Amino acid sequence: MSVFRPFSLLPPALLRQRWWPNAYDLIAFALLIACAVALAHAAMETRAPLSALHLDPISLDPARLPDYALRTTLRMFAAMLASLLFTFTIATWAAKSPRAGRLIVPALDILQSVPVLGFLSFTVTAFLGLFPGRQLGAECAAVFAIFTSQAWNMAFSFYQSLRTLPRDLDEVARGFGLSAWQRFWRLEAPFAMPGLVWNAMMSMSGGWFFIVASEAITVGDTTVTLPGVGSYLALAIAREDFAAVGWAVAAMALTIVLCDQLLFRPIVAWADKFRSEQTASQQRPRSWMYELIRRTRAGKRALRPLTWLWQRALCLRLRPRAPVAAAGVAAKASPWLDRAWLAALLLAAAFGAWFAFDYGRQHLGGADLRAAFGGGLATLLRVTVLIAIASLIWVPVGVWIGLRPRWAQRLQPLAQLLAAFPANVLFPGAVIAILATGANPDVWLSPLMVLGTQWYILFNVIAGASAVPTDLREAATVYRLRSWTWWRRAILPAVFPYYVTGALTASGGSWNASIVAEFVSWGDRHVEAYGLGSYIARATQAGDFPRIVLGVAVMSLFVTAFNRALWRPLYAYAERRLRLD
């Protein structure tokens, strides 16, 4: 309490003035200045010439880790901002327009299955060309790679929330004459916020999972290694330095805890007010940072102009007031326009298929197709079994955590840390154990695929259970629903849309992770499992571009077909039968 003591020496009349800063203002101001200085320091380093990376190579000195962690965190948040912009535009467009949805949703299925290395192969040259000779081009390429590991599950979560918006809420908004712009910001975005927040946290962890691949960029025969925790960890693994690996994991853990306390925990506490319920919850998530911001005096006064501008923006009508109509009853579209749009999509798909066939005919043979599709079936079997096992484990755990905000508050940083734990760190143990025991790598390398992706299921189920209205839970208590009836009648229908989103993104992430999990190395020792991931990894290591393209294309085909056969019907079922109307 010593922080508050100097203010007790001031005249009471002065302290009663509403404009006078209080102790919370000083703490918030100090944190804000510290963040601004760190941001400016990291941003200035990105303007250095590219040649400076060779003059100051990555060092395994632990004293360099704070600077590396700062630069990695800056890249993660830049990618997070891009992912939020992508989510609010593309996912909303897909949910609002059936024609756009026919193109965007399959495209998201394909994009989430393309490995991070695949995006880097095609985009790094363009980014380096935008800023020739500067580190900023390599930084943009790394941010884009992290973006590709963050954006898809956030977009799927927002899309799912908009498609399952309760009809009665939508009808009330239309009854008040709100325009589409006003409905989005006053109803749709707040309704989707709890799920989006949890998926944003999972996206941060997904970015950490792929940070090793994102910060070491290869262009032809040249490798650009950006200063960061991922580069530090990659160098420690290459030199088989267990102590340096431990320092890197400790730096990651500390950074994740700081991000949780300073950013995500306050956002979770803030987003709790958007729960859709009629009865106030008994337990609400708490955050010391959120309470500190709420109790500032000068800080709130400084933000008042921005709040006023935002309220005025919410009053804007970008379109004339629409006539009141029931939710889900859209104006009839011209069938000819739908047919023309479908024909254009089929024509584009046919052109792409012919282009791929012609390219494959010139560079590949029948043996390559058999190897790729055979490996794809083996990886499909692993993904299916692992997702089923992960669902059986994490759905009950996620429901238990989500229904208890205090435990969610305690376990959230641990779950984030486990989700961010890079599988690369476990490779040495896997390689040494398999070689020492003679175990079958086709079986014992499989768990590495799901280590980084099972958390999509956990985080989404926690979000779904957290969003269960208190009145629904009280109704289940009044009717004395117990055991399996409670799960079948109350909880599973409520969390099912969130589970489908988590399982879909976990499935796509597992396909992506198979590239690093089916072909693992420690020093000069290698262990390989039969599958499509090891096929792509071998082709990438050999620089065999045609087989890389074939592997990525076959993986995209498998992921899209799997999603169409299983997850999309479940999405439609949740949208049709499990709304909280």
Side-chain angles (χ1 to χ4, degrees), residues 195-414:
L196 182 61
V197 169
W198 280 94
N199 274 280
M201 288 189 286
M202 182 61 226
S203 291
M204 282 293 285
S205 299
W208 281 107
F209 188 78
F210 288 105
I211 197 64
V212 174
S214 304
E215 292 185 342
I217 301 170
T218 301
V219 186
D221 297 329
T222 306
T223 297
V224 178
T225 305
L226 293 169
V229 177
S231 301
Y232 183 97
L233 184 58
L235 183 63
I237 292 174
R239 293 185 180 176
E240 303 185 19
D241 189 337
F242 280 104
V245 169
W247 280 113
V249 173
M252 286 176 54
L254 182 60
T255 307
I256 290 170
V257 170
L258 285 176
C259 290
D260 172 73
Q261 292 297 312
L262 297 179
L263 181 64
F264 287 120
R265 175 52 46 186
I267 292 178
V268 169
W270 167 78
D272 184 70
K273 63 183 179 182
F274 298 125
R275 285 158 52 99
S276 175
E277 60 185 6
Q278 296 178 357
T279 306
S281 174
Q282 299 297 321
Q283 294 181 335
R284 291 190 175 279
R286 301 179 62 84
S287 163
W288 64 268
M289 188 68 188
Y290 183 62
E291 292 299 321
L292 186 148
I293 294 173
R294 288 185 59 192
R295 295 181 183 185
T296 57
R297 188 178 298 159
K300 286 196 289 191
R301 290 178 66 86
L303 291 176
R304 221 169 259 177
L306 294 178
T307 305
W308 182 85
L309 284 176
W310 177 242
Q311 292 298 327
R312 299 286 79 74
L314 289 181
C315 295
L316 290 176
R317 290 185 177 278
L318 300 183
R319 290 183 179 178
R321 177 179 297 189
V324 178
V329 180
K332 286 187 178 179
S334 169
W336 288 104
L337 283 177
D338 286 337
R339 290 168 190 163
W341 178 244
L342 184 60
L345 292 180
L346 291 176
L347 188 62
F351 176 76
W354 167 251
F355 182 79
F357 173 77
D358 188 54
Y359 181 84
R361 184 170 55 84
Q362 296 177 22
H363 298 87
L364 301 167
D368 294 306
L369 289 178
R370 286 192 293 275
F373 278 93
L377 289 174
T379 304
L380 173 64
L381 178 62
R382 288 195 187 95
V383 170
T384 306
V385 172
L386 292 171
I387 293 298
I389 295 174
S391 301
L392 290 174
I393 295 173
W394 294 118
V395 168
V397 174
V399 168
W400 190 88
I401 295 174
L403 294 180
R404 294 164 177 81
R406 289 181 183 173
W407 278 99
Q409 185 174 343
R410 295 171 188 167
L411 296 176
Q412 177 190 319
L414 178 62

Side-chain angles (χ1 to χ4, degrees), residues 7 188 195 257 431 497 539:
F7 292 87
E188 294 164 352
V257 170
V431 173

Side-chain angles (χ1 to χ4, degrees), residues 17 30 161 165 168 178 226 259 284 348 393 456 506 510 546:
Q17 295 294 324
S161 297
L165 183 72
D168 47 356
L178 299 184
L226 293 169
C259 290
R284 291 190 175 279
I393 295 173
Y456 289 109
S510 296

